[in-house]
């Protein structure tokens, strides 16, 4: 419904993107993009290269760095469409987190090196924020970054955890405590590093859905040059937070939720509720689906607004938090409802291809437990809305 | 893609706030409910400021503003619990007449913009509640009843659905020859008239549209009336939010501010988020709504019915006992939101349209 917000040029872009994905994705592709899986990973690399040829990896970045030079709407369409198609190859760590951060805070050398590398489609990034025992409290990090003024190097020691795709990534952006004795938000440095550096060990962690989507990353005497520091030494907190605002739009969850809802409606038109009635013909089903659709559209418009606002202004506090909550919650709600409709079939593993839809919804719902937790739990987002947005006390 | 409110729209909102904010009087609204008085906060003030000509073209004596801009005013209207036939005049009166029969009705539109005519309509009652439909006989006379007509006594004309040989027609008649049978009241004490028409003479002048576009005109009116009522609900919800924040920040319990409790902060964030998403959806859809897009108004009505209904009960929980009282005023917003939810089609009704 919100497609009416798009210009003619946007609609053409979406159509061309879908055509490209039609060619690249296997027929009837309906798997959550799990790039830890070898097949998905190869597909991801192929799709990235194809997007790169068209300058579509980062459609809204400047052309000089391999971007498309277009407005932010194209980036929204790209992310939402790829999520809807469940396509791998959309490296959100690169295009929606570190990329915009380097564009804003990076030196011209950093921009040239890292942004051009991202748009070439040949790298995968990961995020070095979370640490064991730090939970959602990002300011409590203890990974050390000892700066040597003579050699102008930062030596990193510590452990990062829940690091999605660290086992595939070429690069990581990381937040380290560079000022000895500093506390909380002070004395932190934001940097980028090569995952091939000596001293990095990646230990995969199996998730609830049985996949190895995230990892523990141990950094032992990992040395990086001062040229890899983004912004100023010891002043990384503001950059780290700004990056989170890029991260929190929740646009992927909108695409995944919409796909699930559309597929559920298709399923309801082909399957019976009882002997006489198709699921779709049930008044109760229609009412529930309509409420979900209304929630989805309003969440979607909030994600659009959050991304758009971040692209035009730094005066942004609550929009990313609101859109993150809304997008992750509606995605879970839609999957929960699908599970409710499919409840008689989810209790056992069924290899029958005809029942792939059931298995997929179950696996996805398990995986999407993470949505409300990652990038700052939804409870943290509510704190942000109340305290930074509405002036409530900390 | 642009989510900004432009300078003209900001000025319009400020101007409406200035006019309406000091007209809201909790005691007088309570009194209206108690004594059935005729207190209509905001109505005369908006009339005097020329707001009846908001949607009329300049050639019809108006300002030629868009429906989106009208929706922004309706948010303010809802925030201050204003009362009066602004939707009836602006949508059924100006917007629909201007779109479908401008030449024929330009004089009426001009008189509405000059506040010489006031329009009412029971359209929503007829359409959604399957209310009474008067009947046209011999192409010359009309008879029948109309239920729950809002603001009938201050209106000069009424727009409604009639039928001729079982074919729906849209009519406009002067109210002077229509009689009140009974007066009932809505949850906020506003009068609703049950009226009857008895063999009133009619002519071509009384028909809006023709056989080919009657359904389209009805859809056009209903879509815009629904959207307007939703904007009004959103405005009322924002007032609830502000009232709740104000209360929480000034109330102490267990030796500390209520605002310092995380559970309270989370609940208020949820309310704020819910209103924000609904408002954003409403503002966007008000830019693109048209006659043949029933799905848009249905989508918004479902969202408002379900989400804004929830926030009002949460606000009561956050207020504790004070919100349960008559004199504090939260109940007025509760009534407003419940009332708007109960009219113009429930979620079940709109879900069928949305999924058709």
């Amino acid at each position: 419904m919100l497609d009416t917000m798009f210009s003619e040029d946007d609609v053409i872009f979406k159509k061309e993107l879908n055509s490209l994905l039609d060619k690249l994705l296997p027929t009837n592709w309906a798997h959550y993009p799990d790039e830890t899986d070898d097949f998905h990973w190869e597909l991801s690399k192929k799709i990235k290269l194809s997007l790169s040829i068209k300058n579509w990896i980062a459609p809204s970045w400047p052309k000089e760095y391999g971007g498309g030079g277009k407005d932010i709407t194209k980036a929204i369409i790209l992310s939402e469409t790829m999520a809807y198609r469940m396509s791998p190859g959309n490296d959100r760590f690169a295009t929606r987190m570190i990329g915009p951060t380097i564009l804003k805070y990076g030196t011209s050398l950093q921009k040239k090196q890292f942004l051009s590398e991202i748009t070439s489609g040949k790298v995968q990034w990961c995020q070095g924020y979370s640490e064991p025992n730090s939970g959602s409290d990002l300011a409590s990090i203890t990974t050390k970054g000892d700066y040597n003024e003579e050699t102008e190097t930062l030596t990193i020691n510590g452990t990062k955890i829940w690091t999605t795709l660290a086992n595939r990534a070429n690069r990581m952006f990381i937040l380290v405590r560079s000022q000895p004795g500093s506390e909380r938000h002070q004395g932190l440095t934001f940097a980028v590093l090569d995952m091939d550096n000596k001293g990095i060990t990646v230990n995969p962690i199996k998730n609830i859905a049985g996949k190895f989507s995230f990892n523990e990353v141990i950094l032992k005497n990992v040395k990086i040059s001062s040229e890899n520091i983004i912004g100023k030494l010891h002043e990384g907190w503001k950059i780290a937070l700004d990056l989170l605002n890029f991260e929190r739009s929740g646009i992927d969850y909108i695409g995944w939720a919409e796909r699930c809802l559309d597929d559920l409606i298709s399923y309801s038109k082909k399957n019976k509720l009882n002997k006489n009635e198709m699921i779709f013909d049930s008044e109760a089903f229609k009412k529930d689906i309509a409420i979900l659709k209304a929630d989805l559209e309003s969440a979607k418009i909030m994600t659009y607004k959050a991304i758009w606002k971040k692209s035009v202004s730094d005066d942004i506090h609550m929009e990313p938090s609101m859109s993150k909550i809304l997008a992750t919650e509606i995605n879970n709600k839609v999957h929960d409802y699908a599970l409710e409709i499919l409840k008689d079939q989810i209790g056992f593993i069924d290899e029958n291809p005809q029942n792939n839809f059931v298995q997929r919804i179950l696996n996805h719902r398990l995986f999407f437990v993470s949505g409300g937790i990652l990038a700052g739990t939804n409870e943290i987002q509510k704190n942000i809305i109340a305290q930074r947005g509405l002036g409530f006390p900390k | 893609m642009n989510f900004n409110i432009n300078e003209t729209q900001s000025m319009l909102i400020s101007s409406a706030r200035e006019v309406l904010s000091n007209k809201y009087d909790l005691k007088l609204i309570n009194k209206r409910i108690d004594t059935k008085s005729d207190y209509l906060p905001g109505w005369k003030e908006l009339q005097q400021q020329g707001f009846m000509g908001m949607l009329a073209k300049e050639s019809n004596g108006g300002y030629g503003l868009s429906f989106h801009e009208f929706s922004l005013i309706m948010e303010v209207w809802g925030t201050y619990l204003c009362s009066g036939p602004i939707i009836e005049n602006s949508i059924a009166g100006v917007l629909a007449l201007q779109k479908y029969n401008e030449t024929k009705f330009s004089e009426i539109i001009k008189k509405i913009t000059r506040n010489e005519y006031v329009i009412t309509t029971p359209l929503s009652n007829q359409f959604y509640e399957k209310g009474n439909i008067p009947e046209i006989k011999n192409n010359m006379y009309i008879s029948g009843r109309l239920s729950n007509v809002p603001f009938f006594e201050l209106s000069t004309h009424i727009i409604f659905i009639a039928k001729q040989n079982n074919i729906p027609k849209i009519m406009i008649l002067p109210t002077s020859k229509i009689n009140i049978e009974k007066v009932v009241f809505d949850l906020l004490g506003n009068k609703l008239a049950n009226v009857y028409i008895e063999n009133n003479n009619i002519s071509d002048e009384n028909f809006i549209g023709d056989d080919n576009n009657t359904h389209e005109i009805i859809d056009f009116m209903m879509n815009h009336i629904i959207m307007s009522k939703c904007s009004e609900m959103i405005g009322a919800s924002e007032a609830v939010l502000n009232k709740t924040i104000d209360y929480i920040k000034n109330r102490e319990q267990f030796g500390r501010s209520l605002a310092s409790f995380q559970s309270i902060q989370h609940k208020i964030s949820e309310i704020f988020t819910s209103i924000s998403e609904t408002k954003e959806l409403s503002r966007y859809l008000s830019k693109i709504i048209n006659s043949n897009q029933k799905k848009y108004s249905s989508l918004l009505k479902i969202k408002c019915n379900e989400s804004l209904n929830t926030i009002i009960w949460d606000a009561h929980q956050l207020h504790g006992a004070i919100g349960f009282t008559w004199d504090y005023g939260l109940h007025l917003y509760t009534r407003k939101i419940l009332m708007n939810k109960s009219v113009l089609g429930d979620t079940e009704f709109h879900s069928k349209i949305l999924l058709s």
Side-chain angles (χ1 to χ4, degrees):
Chain A
M1 196 168 279
L2 297 183
D3 277 4
T4 48
M5 204 177 259
F6 300 144
S7 67
E8 206 175 315
D9 191 42
D10 295 333
V11 174
I12 291 169
F13 172 70
K14 187 172 179 177
K15 201 174 167 188
E16 287 177 354
L17 175 63
N18 270 314
S19 299
L20 182 70
L21 294 174
D22 286 341
K23 284 179 198 155
L24 296 170
L25 291 169
T27 312
N28 298 325
W29 179 258
H31 300 279
Y32 175 79
D34 170 25
E35 280 132 330
T36 57
D37 176 281
D38 288 342
F39 181 75
H40 287 228
W41 178 239
E42 291 307 315
L43 195 54
S44 171
K45 289 196 284 190
K46 195 169 133 191
I47 289 171
K48 272 185 188 170
L49 288 176
S50 299
L51 291 173
S52 172
I53 291 166
K54 290 181 170 286
N55 291 336
W56 284 355
I57 284 198
S60 64
W61 290 4
K63 285 185 175 176
E64 59 183 305
Y65 306 122
K70 308 278 188 185
D71 65 32
I72 195 68
T73 316
K74 303 284 188 303
I76 290 173
I77 291 170
L78 180 89
S79 297
E80 190 184 337
T81 305
M82 289 188 73
Y84 186 87
R85 299 294 303 268
M86 299 188 189
S87 172
N90 187 17
D91 180 0
R92 66 182 189 278
F93 301 105
T95 58
R96 275 181 277 150
M97 292 187 227
I98 190 62
T101 306
I102 291 175
L103 260 177
K104 190 170 172 184
Y105 297 100
T107 62
S108 41
L109 197 66
Q110 288 168 341
K111 286 179 192 172
K112 200 173 173 189
Q113 181 189 349
F114 296 119
L115 300 183
S116 304
E117 195 182 62
I118 289 170
T119 53
S120 75
K122 291 175 183 165
V123 292
Q124 174 68 46
W125 281 75
C126 64
Q127 180 179 25
Y129 270 22
S130 294
E131 294 184 2
N133 304 317
S134 71
S136 290
D137 184 7
L138 183 59
S140 73
I141 63 168
T142 58
T143 294
K144 284 182 187 167
D146 296 319
Y147 188 68
N148 184 322
E149 286 189 12
E150 278 181 24
T151 59
E152 295 186 348
T153 53
L154 198 62
T155 304
I156 301 172
N157 279 287
T159 303
K160 296 289 177 181
I161 200 164
W162 319 129
T163 315
T164 303
L165 291 179
N167 50 342
R168 297 290 194 194
N170 314 89
R171 302 205 180 277
M172 170 190 271
F173 53 89
I174 189 167
L175 193 62
V176 297
R177 191 161 295 285
S178 51
Q179 207 162 38
S182 64
E183 287 187 357
R184 305 295 299 164
H185 313 139
Q186 309 299 319
L188 299 169
T189 294
F190 187 96
V192 297
L193 55 84
D194 193 329
M195 290 297 281
D196 289 335
N197 271 346
K198 273 187 183 172
I200 297 179
T201 309
V202 177
N203 300 317
I205 301 169
K206 198 171 187 176
N207 72 24
I208 188 174
K211 310 281 184 186
F212 293 93
S213 61
F214 46 31
N215 306 271
E216 176 191 55
V217 181
I218 299 167
L219 301 112
K220 199 171 178 185
N221 292 323
V222 176
K223 291 190 192 307
I224 61 169
S225 152
S226 62
E227 287 176 353
N228 283 24
I229 294 172
I230 310 292
K232 291 181 181 169
L233 186 72
H234 310 319
E235 293 182 18
W237 179 251
K238 184 178 180 298
I239 299 173
L241 278 195
D242 213 17
L243 180 139
L244 287 174
N245 280 335
F246 288 118
E247 180 183 8
R248 283 174 181 156
S249 77
I251 187 79
D252 306 296
Y253 293 91
I254 295 297
W256 292 325
E258 188 156 20
R259 175 63 180 270
C260 178
L261 197 59
D262 286 351
D263 287 352
L264 181 63
I265 292 171
S266 299
Y267 178 89
S268 75
K269 288 177 178 173
K270 293 174 196 154
N271 289 275
K272 286 187 174 175
L273 187 68
N274 51 44
K275 277 185 183 174
N276 304 318
E277 193 182 24
M278 300 301 278
I279 298 170
F280 187 77
D281 294 332
S282 145
E283 298 295 322
F285 178 81
K286 276 188 184 158
K287 185 180 171 188
D288 291 338
I289 290 288
I291 293 170
L292 288 170
K293 258 186 183 290
D295 285 343
L296 177 63
E297 293 296 323
S298 56
K300 185 191 281 190
I301 204 164
M302 288 298 278
T303 62
Y304 287 5
K305 187 180 180 184
I307 298 171
W308 171 81
K309 199 165 179 192
K310 185 69 185 146
S311 75
V312 295
S313 165
D314 270 341
D315 183 23
I316 183 164
H317 304 288
M318 296 184 281
E319 282 82 1
S321 297
M322 287 195 284
S323 66
K324 195 256 174 179
I325 294 171
L326 290 168
T328 53
E329 285 186 352
I330 186 61
N331 186 42
N332 283 349
K333 269 193 217 172
V334 169
H335 281 84
D336 283 343
Y337 186 69
L339 282 187
E340 182 61 27
I341 295 297
L342 304 168
K343 64 187 171 196
D344 294 340
Q345 303 171 62
I346 60 170
F348 51 92
I349 294 170
D350 186 346
E351 301 297 341
N352 182 351
Q354 286 184 337
N355 291 334
N356 278 350
F357 179 62
V358 181
Q359 296 299 315
R360 183 183 112 205
I361 296 302
L362 176 62
N363 284 335
H364 286 191
R365 182 61 185 92
L366 288 172
F367 183 79
F368 290 136
V369 167
S370 59
I373 299 166
L374 54 77
T377 63
N378 286 1
E379 285 69 30
I380 294 286
Q381 307 312 317
K382 288 175 190 174
N383 288 350
I384 291 171
I385 294 165
Q387 293 164 9
R388 287 190 218 154
L390 302 174
F392 279 58
K394 285 194 174 178
Chain B
M1 191 172 286
N2 188 342
F3 290 88
N4 277 340
I5 294 287
N6 67 32
E7 207 175 319
T8 312
Q9 290 162 350
S10 293
M11 281 171 59
L12 200 61
I13 293 170
S14 302
S15 157
R17 281 190 188 283
E18 203 174 307
V19 174
L20 300 177
S21 61
N22 60 359
K23 290 297 150 194
Y24 166 73
D25 188 319
L26 155 68
K27 285 182 184 165
L28 289 177
I29 301 179
N30 266 342
K31 191 176 165 194
R32 184 176 71 205
I33 301 172
D34 277 336
T35 66
K36 320 301 181 206
S37 71
D38 286 323
Y39 176 56
L40 296 178
W43 168 240
K44 276 192 180 157
E45 288 74 16
L46 278 200
Q47 271 194 315
Q48 282 161 5
Q49 295 287 325
F51 275 81
M52 288 312 111
M54 244 185 305
L55 295 171
K57 294 177 184 169
E58 285 182 31
S59 55
N60 287 324
Y63 303 127
L65 297 180
S66 67
F67 178 70
H68 173 61
E69 282 147 354
F70 176 75
S71 298
L72 297 175
I73 300 300
M74 287 314 300
E75 287 177 16
V76 183
W77 179 261
T79 296
Y80 297 111
L81 288 176
C82 297
S83 205
I86 184 169
I87 296 176
E88 290 79 355
N89 280 274
S90 301
I91 305 302
V94 174
L95 204 59
L97 294 183
Q98 198 167 254
K99 183 173 167 74
Y100 291 101
N101 273 117
E102 187 177 359
T103 314
K104 184 174 174 181
F105 291 113
S106 70
E107 276 314 303
I108 289 184
I109 297 168
K110 284 174 187 166
K111 286 186 176 178
I112 295 170
T113 65
R114 293 199 298 262
N115 305 323
E116 291 168 21
Y117 281 178
V118 175
I119 305 292
T120 185
T121 177
L123 214 60
S124 61
N125 180 268
Q126 289 188 293
F127 191 72
Y128 292 101
E129 313 303 326
K130 311 235 179 288
N132 300 310
I133 310 278
E135 212 168 327
I136 299 164
K137 288 174 187 165
N138 304 325
N139 293 327
M140 291 174 67
Y141 303 105
I142 182 164
S143 296
R145 290 185 156 73
L146 293 167
S147 309
N148 297 343
V149 185
F151 312 108
F152 182 79
E153 284 166 307
L154 63 88
S155 301
T156 58
H157 291 75
I158 182 167
I159 293 175
F160 60 97
I161 304 169
K163 61 182 174 186
Q164 186 174 28
N165 301 325
N166 274 327
I167 297 168
K169 304 280 180 185
I170 309 172
M171 312 285 300
I172 179 165
L173 287 184
T175 52
S176 54
K177 291 181 182 171
I178 298 175
N179 303 303
I180 296 178
E181 194 171 44
K182 188 182 167 188
V183 173
V184 294
F185 299 89
D186 70 19
L187 274 180
L188 281 165
N190 291 301
K191 287 179 186 170
L192 299 167
N194 291 345
V195 301
Y196 64 92
I197 306 167
E198 204 168 15
N199 288 327
N200 285 21
N201 281 325
I202 52 166
S203 69
D204 280 350
E205 292 305 302
N206 301 112
F207 288 89
I208 301 170
D210 53 45
D211 287 347
N212 298 321
N213 63 7
T214 300
H215 288 288
E216 186 185 333
I217 298 171
I218 293 171
D219 285 346
F220 178 86
M221 287 185 186
M222 294 322 305
N223 286 345
H224 287 80
I225 291 172
I226 289 170
M227 301 281 292
S228 306
K229 283 278 182 193
C230 286
S231 297
E232 192 186 24
M233 262 171 117
I234 289 163
S237 304
E238 286 193 304
V240 168
L241 172 75
N242 292 336
K243 207 171 173 62
T244 310
I245 289 176
D246 194 44
Y247 175 76
I248 285 167
K249 285 186 174 175
N250 288 297
R251 172 83 169 159
E252 285 199 357
Q253 292 276 270
F254 307 104
R256 54 191 271 212
S257 166
L258 262 190
S260 68
F261 289 89
Q262 195 179 45
S263 61
I264 303 281
Q265 291 190 2
H266 283 190
K267 189 51 83 181
I268 209 81
S269 296
E270 287 163 15
I271 293 175
F272 179 78
T273 302
S274 183
I275 294 172
S276 299
E277 59 165 335
T278 310
K279 182 165 76 175
E280 220 51 68
L281 187 69
S282 162
R283 286 185 173 185
Y284 174 66
L285 293 177
S286 73
K287 288 180 190 171
I288 61 167
I289 189 75
N290 213 321
S291 53
N292 55 357
Q293 288 152 335
K294 284 158 83 169
K295 289 190 178 188
Y296 295 174
S297 54
S298 287
L299 180 87
L300 183 62
K301 187 63 165 57
I302 291 168
K303 183 67 191 165
C304 288
N305 281 356
E306 299 302 315
S307 295
L308 302 182
N309 182 57
T310 306
I311 70 111
I312 190 71
W313 303 126
D314 286 342
H316 273 284
Q317 185 66 21
L318 290 172
H319 270 90
I322 191 73
F324 189 61
T325 64
W326 187 258
D327 293 328
Y328 180 76
L330 187 61
H331 77 103
L332 297 176
Y333 295 98
T334 311
R335 285 162 184 260
K336 182 77 196 169
I337 288 169
L338 287 179
M339 227 164 68
N340 283 22
K341 182 186 175 186
S342 75
V343 297
L344 296 161
D346 61 14
T347 298
E348 220 154 31
F349 176 91
H350 287 290
S351 64
K352 287 174 196 156
I353 294 175
L354 189 62
L355 296 178
S356 61

